[in-house]
Amino acid sequence: MALARADHGIDATARAFWSQVHPVFMTPPLAASLFGAILAGHLEATLAAVHVVAMFAAVYTAHVKDGYVDFHIRGEDDDHPLTERGCRVALALSTATFALCCLLLFVLVDWVAAALALPTWVIAYHHAPQLDMHPVTATVGYPLGIALSLVGGFYVQAETLTAVPLGFALVFLVLLSGIKVIDDAQDYDYDRSIQKRTVAVVVGPRRAHAIAYGMMGAALLAVVALAIARVFPPTAMLAALAFAAVGFVARRATPEIATMLLIRGSYVFLAVLVAAVWFEPLAPLI
């Protein structure tokens, strides 16, 4: 049986599998893993690579499962490059890769490293059709995966957890959850028609908008507070300022444009935080 819907052959199948790599959503979890490693103050390349591959496999699982549900089960999408069998094969391969990475983390680090990675796959696999139907889990699933990626990336290097990675993880969880509320608002009409209970559907687009920017504002205030307390380097406040500028522009835009701006703003936010930690290491504070 064919694995790709559009064509046959190895090249067509490879393109269909590769189509499930979505850089916009794939980059933040991988970057968060590396950011966690940088926070540890030293970088063991092999361990970092294993953890990054594990996060890649988890997010790939989410993309394949989400596409499978939206096209083959719900009929929500107009097209999908993989057949049903292709989706199952892709899920098997990504899950096997993730399992191998967890085994390596268990052997090379300890059971805690593997345990911190495992929830990312659970969230990814169950995002659709289970978690994406409830306003809380639909909103925090992806951000929680990124927070766990950051914490796990730190742990595999330091073999401990401290306030610094947990603080950054909390900031990203709240900030990205706010962006996710805006993102979900794009599909308000359709989600309401299928009784998909996103925040926008439950409280209405206007209140969802206020909740989203309130969460993002809280995350930025947390960065400033933690920088003043010297948990984060003082230059981390520049990241909050940069994202606040993006948020100010996005606030007046449509949900689609706002989502595009905010996601790219989160890249800038992360980049400034990486630079802040890189030039002012936090090792003495850990």
Side-chain angles (χ1 to χ4, degrees), residues 139-141 143-144 172-182 212 215:
T139 300
V140 306
L144 180 58
F172 277 107
L173 175 62
V174 177
L175 182 80
L176 295 175
S177 293
I179 296 176
K180 187 63 168 60
V181 172
I182 298 294
M215 294 175 72

Side-chain angles (χ1 to χ4, degrees), residues 97-111:
T97 301
F98 182 83
L100 176 61
C101 290
C102 284
L103 178 61
L104 289 172
L105 290 174
F106 178 82
V107 172
L108 297 175
V109 187
D110 58 25
W111 69 270

Side-chain angles (χ1 to χ4, degrees), residues 1-272:
M1 293 180 64
L3 302 181
R5 293 184 65 247
D7 204 349
H8 301 285
I10 295 176
D11 288 345
T13 301
R15 287 195 300 270
F17 280 126
W18 183 253
S19 70
Q20 299 308 288
V21 177
H22 305 307
V24 171
F25 296 102
M26 186 74 75
T27 301
L30 307 189
S33 172
L34 292 174
F35 181 50
I38 291 172
L39 286 176
H42 54 84
L43 182 66
E44 175 57 51
T46 300
L47 296 178
V50 171
H51 192 261
V52 165
V53 172
M55 296 302 100
F56 176 90
V59 181
Y60 188 86
T61 298
H63 290 165
V64 174
K65 181 72 180 300
D66 190 56
Y68 170 74
V69 170
D70 286 347
F71 179 75
H72 291 289
I73 296 179
R74 291 174 176 166
E76 179 178 342
D77 292 343
D78 296 328
D79 194 12
H80 193 271
L82 293 169
T83 63
E84 289 190 52
R85 183 170 182 265
C87 290
R88 288 193 291 269
V89 170
L91 288 171
L93 291 173
S94 63
T95 299
T97 301
F98 182 83
L100 176 61
C101 290
C102 284
L103 178 61
L104 289 172
L105 290 174
F106 178 82
V107 172
L108 297 175
V109 187
D110 58 25
W111 69 270
V112 178
L116 286 172
L118 183 59
T120 63
W121 181 90
V122 174
I123 293 169
Y125 187 81
H126 291 287
H127 172 72
Q130 292 89 1
L131 301 181
D132 68 345
M133 298 298 289
H134 189 277
V136 174
T137 50
T139 300
V140 306
Y142 178 70
L144 180 58
I146 291 177
L148 288 168
S149 179
L150 191 158
V151 171
F154 178 91
Y155 186 88
V156 300
Q157 302 290 332
E159 296 188 34
T160 188
L161 291 177
T162 67
V164 173
L166 293 175
F168 276 115
L170 180 61
V171 165
F172 277 107
L173 175 62
V174 177
L175 182 80
L176 295 175
S177 293
I179 296 176
K180 187 63 168 60
V181 172
I182 298 294
D183 183 32
D184 287 340
Q186 297 181 71
D187 302 319
Y188 169 75
D189 291 330
Y190 179 80
D191 290 342
R192 187 179 181 186
S193 71
I194 65 170
Q195 298 182 331
K196 187 175 181 179
R197 301 177 67 244
T198 63
V199 173
V201 171
V202 172
V203 303
R206 182 169 296 182
R207 286 187 179 180
H209 188 270
I211 290 171
Y213 283 95
M215 294 175 72
M216 289 183 273
L220 299 183
L221 288 175
V223 171
V224 173
L226 291 169
I228 292 173
R230 294 290 296 172
V231 176
F232 294 172
T235 47
M237 287 188 280
L238 295 176
L241 183 62
F243 188 87
V246 175
F248 180 79
V249 175
R251 189 175 178 84
R252 297 174 179 268
T254 63
E256 182 179 0
I257 299 299
T259 300
M260 180 187 71
L261 290 172
L262 292 169
I263 289 176
R264 283 154 181 77
S266 70
Y267 294 166
V268 175
F269 181 73
L270 176 59
V272 177

